[in-house]
Amino acid sequence: MKETVLRARAFAFIHRKLKKREYRALWITRLTAACRARGLSYSNFIHGLTVAKVELNRKTLSELAIHEPAIFDEIVELAKKSIPKKPAAKKPVAQTASV
């Protein structure tokens, strides 16, 4: 019986950690779907929020995407505006081989 209790406690400890990991994955999946529907990738969305200094966590953002889509649309637009524009790539100059 003692071994069973110890084993149960070990599994309880492990699964408390796994539960947090699984919820974070769920929130990221929800945000990915919501961002893609609005024409933005998840990574660009999070980068835009970081640049804009928006400190909402993924759980809150996920709940907003589900229950308050109008507010989430505003947050997505803020993230899109905050993403720095990349300069146009320069064409490489053809180099001639010199002997």
Side-chain angles (χ1 to χ4, degrees):
M1 186 169 130
K2 289 181 184 178
E3 290 177 17
T4 305
V5 170
L6 288 175
R7 189 167 185 246
R9 287 181 180 165
F11 280 124
F13 177 81
I14 291 167
H15 288 115
R16 278 195 302 272
K17 303 296 178 186
L18 288 176
K19 184 171 135 180
K20 293 171 180 64
R21 189 180 313 165
E22 289 169 359
Y23 270 108
R24 182 179 169 96
L26 174 67
W27 298 327
I28 290 172
T29 303
R30 287 178 179 173
L31 286 173
T32 300
C35 290
R36 295 245 181 238
R38 290 162 177 86
L40 189 64
S41 70
Y42 169 77
S43 60
N44 284 332
F45 174 66
I46 293 298
H47 178 65
L49 292 180
T50 305
V51 171
K53 296 186 178 13
V54 175
E55 295 184 1
L56 293 173
N57 61 19
R58 285 161 180 80
K59 178 182 178 181
T60 304
L61 290 168
S62 172
E63 291 297 317
L64 284 174
I66 294 169
H67 300 295
E68 301 290 340
I71 295 173
F72 189 74
D73 288 339
E74 292 177 19
I75 294 172
V76 169
E77 289 304 316
L78 175 67
K80 281 183 181 179
K81 290 177 185 174
S82 299
I83 297 172
K85 303 293 181 197
K86 294 181 182 177
K90 295 181 182 178
K91 293 182 181 180
V93 178
Q95 295 180 359
T96 58
S98 60
V99 179

